[in-house]
Amino acid sequence: MVALTFPDGARREYPDNSTGFDIAKGISPSLAKRTVAMALDGVLIDLNDKIEKDAKIEFVSRDDPRALELIRHDAAHVMAEAVQQLWPGTQVTIGPVIENGFYYDFFRNEPFTPEDLPVIEKTMREIIAKDKPFTKEIWTRDQAKKFFKDKGENFKVELVDAIPPGESLKIYKQGDWLDLCRGPHMTSTGKIGNAFKLMKVAGAYWRGDAKNPMLTRIYGTAWPEQKQLDEYIHMLEEAEKRDHRRLGREMDLFHFQEDAPGAVFWHAKGWTLFETLIAYMRRRQQEAGYNEVNTPQLMDSQLWVTTGHMEKYREMLFLTEKREDDERTYTIKPMNCPGHVQLFKNGLKSYRDLPLRIAEFGKVHRFEPSGALHGLMRVRAFTQDDAHIFVTEEQITEVCLGIHHQLLSIYSDFGFETVAIKFADRPEKRVGADDVWDKAEVSLLAALKAAGKPYSHNKGEGAFYGPKLEYVLRDAIGRDWQCGTTQVDLNLPGRLGAFYIAASGEKVTPVMIHRAIFGSLERFIGILIEQHAGHLPLWLSPVQAMVCTITSDADGYAGEVLAAAKKAGLRVDADLRNEKINYKVREHSLAKVPVLLVVGKKESESRSVSIRRLGSEQQSVMPLEAALAALAAEATPPDLKRGQEAT
RNA sequence: GCUGCCGUAGCUCAGUGGUAGAGCACCCCCUUGGUAAGGGGGAGGUCCUCAGUUCAAUCCUGAGCGGCAGCACCA
């Protein structure tokens, strides 16, 4: 007998080898009917599994959040069956559940096209309508290998081989069709329901390795109810509306063109935003004791051999051709650090100079793979808010901690309160001895522990010269973006021959801490655009206000408003065109101008403005001076606001 | 980089082996209108590039470039 504890606390005994289904049926046939799986001691398993020991039991119905994964996994199996039914000879590989859905990777000489998706979906619906029961069998390794080999399923044979000895081989059947699978599954295909949709086809490497054959992956999404599927599709449409590439064009911020793949053409408004971010960061850096510098865009390629970049990252570098009248070739900088080491080396440094903070808004170029390029998020030419802090070994922890606090304060100014931290240690491709790495990792981790924030461990993901902390922002629609980084580097300064004179009079190699907060200005702007769906906060908006006239009678007054607003420090423009106010409101709203200052006869007579805020249909009429004072206060960058409050 | 899809006006997109289209935007005219598109007219194209097939290519074929999605990559 086994003793089972139910969610309500009741405890009952059942004969050995009872299945979940037996027990559910014993309680009530309707419970058995609506149960798709069970959880024993919190672990989800097949409802038809035999229960062999005392446990807490829960019956999982279709609308249980835990069933979502099963619905999706079952849908993946049904999709695989549909595909093999439609195109016999297609090999199946793996089909896991992912966030919001599932996929299955197939191998077939002919690729799938988007037109195939509705056909596959139709066949899936037929399989689901048949309500085929899922059944499980345990096979031996040889049995499974022979079966898949005979069927020509070579990828499955590889998967069988990859299963560790001693682990049982589970085969799940739905009718005649079967698949090697870890499970669990629901009781039958009918439980999947109809709230699913195949989303797209794409290539994916077998086992995620670019050296392996390319498979075709079909992505799908599945939900318990149609309503949730509709909501999900609606959410995707909303995300598309936030796409910074579209908004960038609509807001006249930047563009790309074929002549410069992966490089931004910043328009005046986009550049205003860019400069606003730099001005902000410049103030924050000054307050934290950084010295801003500028270093050459091109340096002798030999320098990059010394740093190790040429060896480790040659394919990422932009190099100049050798000229007839010059012996040397040059490399466009992919990073600012070697330049900053040159600055450190220029003039003898004392331990009294440390920590020495060198900052640069450095524009770097990296030959990113063409397939990686994505709007502002991944480019080949970008600007870092880069800084290098030269310290003694003893100063590492304290300096990293200081960076940590400033970094969080800065993210908070931009409205990012959820920041995850990852600790990345030594990668395989690296320079420097292991004992040096030991030291660097210990010191950086000490700062992280002192900060007292939760963090995750990103094994083997450090830079080639040192371990790093990665700061990951969560945006308004739940996406994660890695922006900031703090890296401890015990290697490069030594390689490049940097030293300082210690208190003892000896020459000592300094430790260099690399840090960036925005990371890439370009990317950070892309994130801000998507975070706010283009509705940037007033202090960041390139055009903060637009004076709109109702009739040309107000042109003169509009000019006064414009001049006064500029004098108040606002970035403002005026629209005096011979257009109706509706037209102007629509146009500037679409361009995401946050404040419209509408002036007509009434306003000019009373020296006031009618204010309409982006996203609101309401207007408020205020005296001109008061309105401008309020807007100017709101448009003050958060760090300056704090400064004003303090005085 | 790999796989698939795509490239026609500033934008969104139709279309055809023989003379290239729409809506919006732009310019001009009329309209002076109170908070998300007033009306009329006009201009605008190397149909991504190069080669091939053809009497004839924007269309068919091949290569290249660029974009999109996914994968791989991301110091």
Side-chain angles (χ1 to χ4, degrees):
Chain A
M1 297 294 273
V2 289
L4 296 178
T5 312
F6 291 82
D8 63 3
R11 190 180 156 91
R12 259 166 287 174
E13 299 218 323
Y14 289 91
D16 285 337
N17 291 331
S18 297
T19 68
F21 183 74
D22 297 335
I23 293 161
K25 207 166 70 178
I27 294 168
S28 91
S30 71
L31 176 68
K33 203 174 161 196
R34 68 166 187 272
T35 299
V36 297
M38 64 179 161
L40 276 195
D41 288 333
V43 179
L44 212 55
I45 57 169
D46 294 331
L47 188 62
N48 283 314
D49 279 353
K50 289 174 179 149
I51 300 168
E52 285 160 347
K53 60 179 175 56
D54 295 357
K56 273 194 287 190
I57 186 168
E58 292 165 87
F59 294 111
V60 175
S61 65
R62 233 186 131 259
D63 49 12
D64 189 298
R66 287 172 293 185
L68 185 58
E69 235 176 75
L70 301 181
I71 290 172
R72 290 172 177 168
H73 191 194
D74 289 8
H77 275 231
V78 168
M79 178 166 80
E81 180 183 350
V83 165
Q84 289 199 315
Q85 187 182 317
L86 289 163
W87 296 280
T90 303
Q91 293 187 49
V92 293
T93 64
I94 56 162
V97 171
I98 51 172
E99 196 180 1
N100 297 323
F102 60 91
Y103 67 78
Y104 211 113
D105 285 348
F106 300 97
F107 181 79
R108 175 179 171 229
N109 292 329
E110 285 285 296
F112 295 100
T113 68
E115 289 73 53
D116 295 332
L117 297 183
V119 180
I120 300 169
E121 259 181 44
K122 185 164 168 272
T123 307
M124 287 174 69
R125 287 185 205 285
E126 288 164 11
I127 295 167
I128 289 168
K130 283 181 191 154
D131 199 21
K132 302 203 237 178
F134 282 101
T135 54
K136 179 167 57 181
E137 294 176 8
I138 306 293
W139 286 12
T140 66
R141 188 172 300 262
D142 292 343
Q143 193 182 358
K145 265 181 89 163
K146 182 169 186 322
F147 177 83
F148 289 118
K149 212 171 208 164
D150 291 349
K151 265 186 81 185
E153 296 274 12
N154 303 321
F155 292 95
K156 280 287 174 195
V157 174
E158 261 195 64
L159 288 176
V160 171
D161 282 333
I163 293 174
E167 207 169 292
S168 62
L169 285 178
K170 290 183 227 165
I171 298 291
Y172 277 87
K173 286 189 171 176
Q174 58 211 53
D176 300 334
W177 194 85
L178 61 81
D179 196 4
L180 172 72
C181 179
R182 215 175 271 130
H185 281 277
M186 297 190 291
T187 47
S188 66
T189 58
K191 302 291 193 300
I192 296 168
N194 275 315
F196 68 90
K197 185 174 165 58
L198 302 187
M199 306 300 285
K200 57 193 165 198
V201 291
Y205 299 108
W206 169 235
R207 299 184 150 189
D209 189 329
K211 290 193 275 297
N212 287 340
M214 178 69 75
L215 308 170
T216 302
R217 175 171 298 179
I218 301 180
Y219 283 94
T221 186
W223 301 85
E225 303 300 335
Q226 184 65 32
K227 187 164 162 271
Q228 290 158 293
L229 174 62
D230 293 343
E231 277 168 10
Y232 174 64
I233 288 171
H234 182 249
M235 191 277 288
L236 290 180
E237 289 164 0
E238 287 301 309
E240 199 187 322
K241 282 186 201 154
R242 291 175 175 249
D243 191 315
H244 73 282
R245 293 167 297 185
R246 173 213 288 265
L247 287 167
R249 187 175 57 236
E250 289 173 359
M251 296 166 73
D252 192 19
L253 300 177
F254 59 85
H255 82 268
F256 290 90
Q257 64 188 50
E258 283 200 19
D259 312 83
V264 189
F265 287 79
W266 285 107
H267 297 191
K269 287 177 194 166
W271 193 245
T272 299
L273 174 54
F274 199 104
E275 290 282 313
T276 303
L277 291 185
I278 288 192
Y280 168 86
M281 188 58 80
R282 196 165 265 148
R283 291 191 300 270
R284 299 298 310 258
Q285 287 182 167
Q286 271 165 7
E287 118 202 327
Y290 290 82
N291 302 299
E292 189 179 327
V293 303
N294 196 264
T295 59
Q297 206 63 37
L298 294 172
M299 290 190 281
D300 194 314
S301 296
Q302 189 54 45
L303 178 76
W304 301 99
V305 173
T306 313
T307 57
H309 287 86
M310 199 59 81
E311 185 195 344
K312 309 271 178 200
Y313 290 101
R314 194 192 174 96
E315 68 285 4
M316 298 292 275
L317 301 177
F318 284 96
L319 299 158
T320 61
E321 279 177 20
K322 200 178 114 42
R323 298 167 54 104
E324 279 179 23
D325 56 353
D326 191 352
E327 285 305 303
R328 319 202 281 181
T329 62
Y330 301 87
T331 296
I332 305 177
K333 64 177 174 184
M335 296 180 84
N336 302 299
C337 14
H340 291 181
V341 175
Q342 307 313 313
L343 275 165
F344 181 86
K345 284 170 67 182
N346 190 264
L348 205 54
K349 296 291 183 298
S350 147
Y351 70 96
R352 296 174 195 276
D353 296 321
L354 307 185
L356 181 66
R357 298 177 167 88
I358 297 177
E360 176 173 4
F361 295 100
K363 186 155 191 181
V364 297
H365 290 72
R366 301 176 183 177
F367 196 92
E368 300 286 349
S370 58
L373 301 180
H374 181 88
L376 295 176
M377 302 305 192
R378 192 79 181 271
V379 287
R380 286 184 177 154
F382 60 100
T383 312
Q384 294 179 312
D385 58 323
D386 205 1
H388 295 91
I389 307 165
F390 293 87
V391 297
T392 65
E393 284 185 16
E394 294 70 42
Q395 291 168 334
I396 295 174
T397 300
E398 192 193 335
V399 166
C400 290
L401 190 58
I403 293 168
H404 170 89
H405 288 308
Q406 197 193 26
L407 212 131
L408 293 185
S409 149
I410 287 171
Y411 291 149
S412 166
D413 278 350
F414 286 92
F416 297 105
E417 304 292 350
T418 307
V419 181
I421 303 166
K422 294 187 200 165
F423 172 68
D425 59 12
R426 67 194 78 184
E428 276 180 36
K429 237 178 158 184
R430 62 175 183 261
V431 297
D434 282 355
D435 60 324
V436 174
W437 274 90
D438 290 342
K439 235 186 275 180
E441 286 169 3
V442 166
S443 307
L444 185 56
L445 209 47
L448 187 49
K449 287 188 172 144
K453 287 264 176 191
Y455 65 92
S456 59
H457 192 168
N458 215 356
K459 227 172 157 35
E461 294 293 321
F464 76 83
Y465 46 70
K468 61 184 182 183
L469 298 183
E470 295 172 336
Y471 290 81
V472 181
L473 306 184
R474 167 79 37 103
D475 79 8
I477 54 175
R479 290 173 306 182
D480 290 336
W481 302 99
Q482 199 216 301
C483 291
T485 180
T486 302
Q487 310 173 357
V488 176
D489 184 350
L490 298 177
N491 286 302
L492 263 188
R495 275 193 167 230
L496 295 176
F499 64 86
Y500 63 92
I501 306 299
S504 63
E506 284 174 300
K507 288 181 180 177
V508 178
T509 305
V511 176
M512 181 161 75
I513 295 167
H514 308 238
R515 66 102 259 220
I517 298 176
F518 293 143
S520 150
L521 268 293
E522 283 76 0
R523 199 164 96 109
F524 196 77
I525 288 172
I527 295 166
L528 283 175
I529 293 169
E530 300 208 356
Q531 160 87 347
H532 297 289
H535 295 55
L536 294 170
L538 200 60
W539 74 282
L540 292 172
S541 279
V543 178
Q544 294 169 320
M546 182 66 69
V547 183
C548 297
T549 49
I550 299 220
T551 70
S552 55
D553 294 340
D555 286 1
Y557 177 61
E560 289 179 47
V561 173
L562 179 67
K566 280 186 178 165
K567 206 173 164 202
L570 293 166
R571 294 186 289 268
V572 60
D573 207 346
D575 183 353
L576 308 184
R577 289 176 304 170
N578 174 13
E579 295 291 351
K580 287 194 169 182
I581 191 62
N582 281 316
Y583 185 91
K584 294 184 184 181
V585 166
R586 174 180 157 82
E587 189 162 292
H588 300 303
S589 297
L590 288 174
K592 309 287 191 281
V593 175
V595 175
L596 300 186
L597 301 173
V598 178
V599 295
K601 194 164 173 236
K602 283 186 283 189
E603 288 79 7
S604 29
E605 281 166 0
S606 60
R607 293 199 66 78
S608 60
V609 287
S610 166
I611 301 175
R612 179 186 168 121
R613 306 291 297 230
L614 179 60
S616 162
E617 288 177 15
Q618 299 187 337
Q619 307 127 38
S620 61
V621 178
M622 278 179 81
L624 177 60
E625 301 306 327
L628 294 180
L631 287 173
E634 185 185 336
T636 305
D639 60 315
L640 295 181
K641 240 182 229 177
R642 279 194 295 273
Q644 286 167 3
E645 281 158 15
T647 53

